[in-house]
């Protein structure tokens, strides 16, 4: 994707020095500062994932794959690889892409003689990244059909509501929920995006608004609580979100607040202007081992400071962090929720758009 008219991915290896490293766009600095960070060790990659310098389910998977490639620089032994894998998987529990990527790397590396592991670790991580780009492009193509249908029917701007950031910043490139939106915009369809700010970390306001702006897609940031009202008023034509984990039965786990958007979209049927609710999901985000998302998916509980502190740019241009809660206030911070399949209109995958209850007909 383009940043200041220059092509970027969110993560890439750097082999310019004797010891390879990984470079990432540091997402904790956006939208005010665009900064590339170097990640040179497994420990640094774990910190980057935990602190959300890299975030978004597919990108966490790619970062974990490179984390194992970095760990192989320390040792190629089975034991070291397995220990590194455990540490990476524990770094963020909800997005299943992380576990998927680590398991894939382990399966490939442990099957090889030790002497071959170092080079293959880097090539396999690069392969995971390239595949992510291809999956997201295919999601974009299938989602474009859904937006085109709406555009042909309504012959006016199509208003799409999204939550959190499931754009190119959350993946290696293109994004999942935003891939169909970029495809529609590039095809000349008049789209406008309602961007939910996504408290507490503001991935919508800080990241989605930034990347849509870089690409020139018309958008408006709204408070998280405004989504239901806009749907009630007939000002939303469709909702497209990403996912951190989807069950075999089509339950969608995504950023906290997604469930409320799905409930409002579902209720819009009663008002006579049905707002379809789609999740855009590459296959590594599907956890075929579980059926009941509400019961079985571990929801990451993040630190209280994400609610009590906010950071932003002051009028003089300096970045400041301020406390917004009364001293000593208790905070709970579940980072994800689960939208049951019955509230989901369709799941946009690289293989096409599936009804949630037919997701298990996908080729695996
Ligand atoms: O906590 P985050 O920022 O990693 O959460 C990201 C999301 O919830 C995204 O919607 C999801 O990972 C899909 S990204 C294509």
């Amino acid at each position: 994707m383009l940043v200041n008219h220059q092509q970027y991915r969110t993560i890439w290896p750097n082999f310019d020095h004797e010891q390879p490293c990984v470079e990432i766009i540091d997402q904790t600095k956006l939208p005010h500062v665009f900064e590339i960070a170097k990640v040179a060790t497994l420990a640094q990659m774990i910190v980057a994932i935990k602190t959300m310098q890299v975030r978004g389910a597919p990108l966490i998977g790619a970062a974990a794959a490179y984390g194992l490639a970095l760990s192989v620089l320390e040792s190629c032994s089975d034991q070291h690889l397995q220990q590194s894998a455990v540490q990476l998987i524990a770094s963020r529990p909800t997005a299943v892409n992380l576990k998927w990527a680590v398991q894939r790397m382990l399966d490939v590396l442990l099957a090889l003689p030790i002497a071959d592991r170092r080079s293959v670790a880097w090539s396999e991580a690069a392969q995971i990244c390239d595949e992510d780009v291809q999956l997201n492009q295919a999601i974009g193509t299938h989602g474009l059909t859904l937006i085109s249908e709406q555009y042909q029917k309504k012959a006016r701007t199509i208003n799409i509501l999204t939550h959190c950031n499931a754009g190119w910043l959350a993946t290696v490139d293109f994004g999942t929920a935003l891939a169909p939106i970029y495809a529609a915009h590039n095809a000349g369809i008049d789209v406008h995006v309602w961007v939910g700010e996504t408290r507490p970390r503001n991935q919508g306001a800080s990241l989605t608004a930034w990347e849509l702006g870089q690409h020139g897609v018309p958008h408006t940031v709204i408070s998280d609580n405004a989504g239901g009202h806009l749907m009630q008023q007939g000002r939303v034509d469709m909702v497209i979100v990403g996912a951190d984990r989807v069950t075999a039965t089509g339950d969608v786990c995504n950023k906290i607040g997604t469930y409320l958007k799905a409930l409002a979209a579902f209720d819009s049927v009663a008002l006579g202007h049905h707002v379809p609710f789609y999740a855009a999901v590459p296959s590594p985000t599907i956890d075929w081992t579980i059926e009941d998302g509400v019961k079985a998916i571990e929801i990451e509980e993040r630190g209280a400071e994400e609610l009590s502190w906010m950071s932003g740019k002051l009028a003089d241009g300096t970045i400041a962090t301020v406390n917004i809660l009364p001293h000593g206030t208790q905070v709970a911070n579940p980072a994800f929720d689960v939208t049951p399949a019955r509230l989901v209109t369709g799941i946009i995958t690289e293989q096409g758009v599936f009804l949630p209850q037919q997701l298990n007909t996908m080729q695996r």
Side-chain angles (χ1 to χ4, degrees), residues 126-138:
Q127 179 67 25
I128 285 174
C129 290
D130 289 346
E131 285 175 21
D132 179 63
V133 175
Q134 287 158 14
L135 297 181
N136 299 335
Q137 281 180 304

Side-chain angles (χ1 to χ4, degrees), residues 23-321:
E23 296 190 338
I24 55 169
I25 295 174
D26 183 348
Q27 302 195 22
T28 59
K29 301 277 166 59
L30 290 170
H32 302 302
V33 180
F34 180 76
E35 200 171 283
I36 308 297
K38 275 196 181 8
V39 183
T41 61
L42 167 72
Q44 286 176 8
M45 188 59 89
I46 290 172
V47 169
I49 294 171
K50 282 186 173 166
T51 61
M52 293 172 63
Q53 286 178 296
V54 284
R55 35 119 339 253
L59 178 55
I60 297 171
Y66 275 123
L68 272 187
L70 289 168
S71 126
V72 165
L73 298 175
E74 295 160 21
S75 160
C76 292
S77 73
D78 287 16
Q79 196 196 11
H80 178 74
L81 274 171
Q82 277 153 348
Q83 281 170 353
S84 305
V86 169
Q87 288 175 50
L88 279 163
I89 290 172
S91 60
R92 287 200 76 189
T94 303
V96 76
N97 304 56
L98 194 160
K99 201 170 153 200
W100 169 86
V102 168
Q103 195 55 54
R104 172 167 156 174
M105 292 287 289
L106 271 191
D107 290 347
V108 168
L109 296 176
L110 293 178
L112 290 173
I114 293 218
D116 296 341
R117 289 182 181 174
R118 187 169 161 157
S119 64
V120 172
W122 289 92
S123 61
E124 190 65 19
Q127 179 67 25
I128 285 174
C129 290
D130 289 346
E131 285 175 21
D132 179 63
V133 175
Q134 287 158 14
L135 297 181
N136 299 335
Q137 281 180 304
I139 285 173
T141 306
H142 295 301
L144 169 62
T145 310
L146 299 171
I147 300 174
S148 289
E149 281 166 11
Q150 292 261 359
Y151 189 54
Q152 276 161 22
K153 202 162 73 185
K154 296 179 177 164
R156 57 154 173 79
T157 305
I158 298 304
N159 292 294
I160 302 170
L161 188 143
T162 193
H163 186 59
C164 194
N165 172 261
W168 72 269
L169 285 168
T171 63
V172 177
D173 202 352
F174 290 102
T176 58
L178 297 195
I181 294 172
Y182 288 126
H185 176 79
N186 294 346
I189 294 176
D190 185 6
V191 279
H192 164 263
V193 187
W194 294 113
V195 180
E197 62 175 347
T198 319
R199 281 280 291 145
R201 289 189 69 107
N202 294 317
Q203 290 96 325
S206 299
L207 304 178
T208 299
W210 180 80
E211 65 162 270
L212 289 172
Q214 289 290 329
H215 199 80
V217 180
H219 61 279
T220 306
V221 172
I222 52 172
S223 70
D224 290 322
N225 297 329
H229 167 74
L230 291 172
M231 288 189 232
Q232 209 173 44
Q233 299 285 313
R235 296 171 69 190
V236 179
D237 296 297
M238 58 204 297
V239 178
I240 310 181
V241 296
D244 290 85
R245 197 186 295 215
V246 170
T247 65
T249 52
D251 290 348
V252 173
C253 179
N254 190 46
K255 181 54 56 190
I256 193 81
T258 303
Y259 172 47
L260 292 178
K261 308 276 182 295
L263 281 173
F266 195 73
D267 189 56
S268 65
V269 176
L271 299 165
H273 45 76
H274 176 219
V275 180
F277 178 94
Y278 293 102
V281 179
S283 50
T285 303
I286 304 171
D287 186 342
W288 298 108
T289 67
I290 54 175
E291 303 224 319
D292 186 333
V294 176
K295 285 201 184 124
I297 297 177
E298 183 185 351
I299 301 293
E300 179 180 8
E301 183 78 29
R302 291 191 61 89
E305 72 287 350
E306 290 189 349
L307 269 100
S308 49
W309 293 87
M310 287 190 85
S311 62
K313 188 153 79 169
L314 299 179
D316 68 3
T318 51
I319 305 293
T321 302

